[in-house]
Amino acid sequence: MTTRGSRSEKVKIIFHQFDVNRDGGLNREEMAALVVAVNPRVKFSDEQITAILDEVFRTYGEFIDGEKGLSFDGLLRTYDDGAGDVDRDFDALGLELKPLEDKNGISQASEDVASTSSAVDERVMEPHKKQRTAAWAASPHHGIVFDDTWKLIDDLEILIKRLKAKQSKDGKIKNDNSDAYSDPGWSRELGPSSEISEKRVIWDESRHDYLVFVKELGVLRSRADGARSRPEAFDGQMAIGRVLYEHCLIKEALVSFKRACELTPFDVKPHFRAGNCLYVLGRHSEAKEEFLLALEAAESGGNQWAYLLPQIHVNLGIALEGEGMVLSACEHYREAAILCPTHFRALKLLGSALFGVGEYKAAVKALEEAIYMKNDYADAHCDMASALHAMGDDDNAIKEFQKAVDLKPGHVDALYNLGGLYMDMGRYQRASEMYTRVLGVWPNHWRAQLNKAVSLLGAGETEEAKKALKEALKMTNRVELHDAILHLKHLQKRRSRGDGSGNGEATFITIEPSKFKTVGEKTTLRPELAIALGIRTFQRITRLNRCEVELIKKEISEGDVAVSYSGSGLPEKSIRKASLEVVLRRLLNFLKPETFVGAVKAINQKILCVLDESESGRVDLGMFFAVLAPLCGGSVDKRKQIAYESLLWRPINEGNTQIKKSDAQRYIKLLRAIYIPSHGISEILEIHGEVDNSLVSSTEFFTMFDDREWGFSIISTLLRLENGDRNRHGRHVCATCRYPIIGSRFKEMKHRFSLCSQCYCEGKVPSTCKQEEYRFKEYANEAEAVKDKCLWFGSKGS
C-alpha cells in the first residue's frame, strides 16, 4: 500500500517520463506508449489501443486540455479510480523513488541484502521482472524464483484490483487507523509494512464480489499446485500468500502459507508467514506454534537463517504476550537483543514486558537502551514514563510522557497514563485535560470518561463531573459507575447541609488503634483486618481463590521436575520463572490473557521476589506450591493439607512420610514474610544454622500453621472476607468515604455511624464524632444487623 503522497510522486514521475514534448499533457500517442510500456506481457492490437484511448479520453474529458491531451491531475485520477495500479506500473517502468526508512530505521532495500547466502539463481529473473516488482519479490531469500510464478502474480494483481474497484465504488472498504495507539512491535520483515500497520484495509467478506474473488483465487492456487515440480508449487503459493498479505487479505494469505508449509515442512518462511497471519487474526496460540516451528527450522538450518533469528524471537515473544505469557516473552526478547544488539525494538519490547511483570529497574534499563538507539521512539518514552512513575520518580515520568505526546500528539496510552499520574499527584485540572484529549482520539473510552468525572470532582467542578458521569453511563453500565454516581449524590447532600469540606470530600479524623474497641467475639480487630484485606486484594488481582487447591495436587502428582542444587548445596526441584509461568497458566486457565498478565505481575512482586532472593531467575517449585495453597479455593483444612503435601514433595523430605521440622519452620516464616507486612525477609534468616531433623506429622504441622503468634491464623479472617466481600448493606454508606458499604459493616455503638472495612482498618471516623473511645460491632450482612436491632428494641421494651 502506498500513501497518497508517494502515489502522487510516482504518478508525477510516470507523467514526466511519457510527456515527451513537455507540453504538460499526454496526447494519444504518448498515452499509447504508456499503456504498452506498463503491460510488457500483453500484445495489444491497434484496435485495442484505440478502444482503450477512446475510453480514457471520454471518461476523463474534464482533464483533457485540447491538443496537449490528458493532464497530470487526469492521470492521477485514473489511478485513484482503480483504472491502473501505480505501484505495479512504476515498478514495470523501472523507475525509482528516493528510498524511505521504515519504523526500524532500515531502508526498504537494505534488509534484502542482510544475508550473503542466496537461494535463487539470479539468472532466472529477467531484468524487467526485477524492476517491476516490490522489494520483497526481488529479494534472494523471499522473492520469486520461477518464471511461471510471475504469471500467477500478474493474474492475482488483476483480481485484487477488480475487487478493490468494486468495493471502493460502493464504499465497503474500511480503513482502521491505529496510529494513535502503541504499535504492536512487529519486526518489519514479518509484520505488515509501516503503512499497512498505520492504516489497515478491512474488506467486506460477506459481499458477492468477495466470494467471486475467493473462487477465482482458488483457481490460481490450483494452477500453483499443478506446477511441474514441488519447488515451483511452493514458490507459487508463497508468492500468492505474500501478495495477499500486502493487500490485507490475511485469511486468504494464511491458506496459501499453510499450503506452502505442507509442500516444504522444514522451510522457515512459510511457518514464519503463517504465524504472522494467525497473530493478526487474533489466533495467538496457533501463531506461537508456527513461530516455534520457524525457530526450530532456522536453528537447524545453519547460517543461512542467522539474520532472521532475531526477528523470529521477537515475533514469538509478541505471540506469547498475546497469550498473556509475559515472562516467557521476556526470554525471547532477550535472545533477540543478544543476537542483534542494535535491535532497538526488541529492547523496547523487553522493557515493556519487564514493566508488565513489575520489574521496574530492569525495565528502565532496557528502555533507556532502546531510546538511546532511537530517540524519537514514542512508545519507548511512554513505557519509560510508566516505569518511572511506578518507582516514584514522578517528575521524570511527566517529562517522558510529554516526550511521547510531543512525538505522537494523539498517543492514547501516554495521554491516559499521564492523566492517571496527575490524579495521583492531586493535579485534578491537568488530569481532566489529559482525559479530554484521550476522548478526542477515542470517543468511547469509558474509563477515560469515568476518570475525567473523578478528576473534575477532585477539582471541585461538581456539575461538570455529573455531566461526565452521565456520558460514561451511556458508554457502559458497569456497577462502579453506579457507585460513583451514588457517591456524588451523597457529597452534594453533605455540601448542602454544610458538613463537607471545600473540595467536596467529607472531613474525618484518624484515630490510633488502641482507641478502637470491639463488641462481641465475631468483630475483627483492626490490625488483623488490615492484614487480611491486603491478602484479599492480592487474591482478587490473582484470582487464586477461583483456582481449586486440588489442581496443585494434580501438578505435584503429574509434574516431572529435575532435581537441581541451590547455592547452599540443598537439593531442589527448581524451575525458571518462564517455566513457572506455564504452570501458573494451567492453574489459572480460566483467566483472559490480559488478566493473567496482572496475576503474574502480582505473584512476581509478592512471592517470586522472596523465593528468588538470590536473583538467579529460578524458583523452588515445591515451596512455591506450598506458599500458594493457603490462598486457593477450597476448605481451610484442604488448603493446609495441600501445603503439607507440597513440602513433602520437595527433595529435602524425599523418602519420608513426614516433613522435617526445620522445613516446616522455614515455610511458616516465608508465608508470614510474604503475606504479613510487619514481618520482613530478615525474619527468615533467623533459622539459618538451625538444623532440626525431627519429623513433623500433618497434625503437628496444622498446629504450627494455626498458631496465633507464630503461625498463619489470619487465614480464618481471610475466609470470612472471601465468603462475604460481595455483600451489600442496603442503602448504608461509609460515614467517611461516603461509598456504599460492601463486605462487612462496622457500626459504632454510641454515635451509630457505620464504616466500611477499609476506613475501619485505617482508623478514619467523622470529625463530628470525637470521643475518647470507639466501640464497634461487625455485621457480615444486613440480616445480622436487622436481627440485632430487633433484639435491642425487644430489650428496651421489656
Side-chain angles (χ1 to χ4, degrees), residues 484-501:
I485 290 170
L486 186 60
H487 176 62
L488 184 59
K489 287 179 180 178
H490 278 292
L491 287 178
Q492 286 179 312
K493 286 180 183 178
R494 291 179 69 87
R495 178 175 292 179
S496 66
R497 293 199 304 263
D499 58 351
S501 64

Side-chain angles (χ1 to χ4, degrees), residues 422-491:
Y422 282 136
M423 284 264 282
D424 290 346
M425 298 174 71
R427 298 173 62 181
Y428 299 112
Q429 195 62 52
R430 288 288 289 151
S432 70
E433 290 170 13
M434 293 303 110
Y435 293 127
T436 300
R437 289 179 66 179
V438 170
L439 292 164
V441 181
W442 190 350
N444 293 322
H445 197 309
W446 72 266
R447 291 187 185 278
Q449 188 68 52
L450 175 58
N451 285 343
K452 178 183 177 180
V454 174
S455 58
L456 287 168
L457 191 62
E461 298 182 26
T462 310
E463 288 303 315
E464 291 300 315
K466 192 189 297 184
K467 291 177 186 176
L469 271 177
K470 286 181 180 178
E471 287 299 317
L473 202 56
K474 291 178 184 176
M475 297 176 190
T476 183
N477 202 33
R478 295 173 70 98
V479 68
E480 51 259 58
L481 286 175
H482 293 280
D483 286 346
I485 290 170
L486 186 60
H487 176 62
L488 184 59
K489 287 179 180 178
H490 278 292
L491 287 178

Side-chain angles (χ1 to χ4, degrees), residues 371-398:
I371 291 170
Y372 178 77
M373 294 179 196
K374 184 174 173 61
N375 190 48
D376 62 347
Y377 203 164
D379 293 339
H381 284 290
C382 178
D383 289 349
M384 168 77 88
S386 297
L388 290 169
H389 176 44
M391 294 169 65
D393 188 357
D394 288 347
D395 290 339
N396 283 318
I398 290 174

Side-chain angles (χ1 to χ4, degrees), residues 7-27 30-31 33-34 38 56-57 63-65 67-79 86 89-90 93 95:
R7 280 170 58 83
S8 178
E9 287 298 316
K10 286 184 176 182
V11 174
K12 188 176 292 184
I13 292 170
I14 293 171
F15 183 89
H16 289 304
Q17 177 87 357
F18 289 90
D19 183 16
V20 179
N21 58 15
R22 295 291 183 267
D23 64 350
L26 300 180
N27 57 35
E30 291 167 340
M31 274 298 297
L34 171 58
V38 298
V56 171
F57 278 72
F63 297 99
I64 304 299
D65 184 9
E67 293 298 319
K68 293 181 181 179
L70 186 69
S71 66
F72 163 73
D73 290 335
L75 184 61
L76 183 60
R77 176 62 67 84
T78 67
Y79 282 114
V86 65
D89 292 354
F90 194 83
L93 296 169
L95 303 173

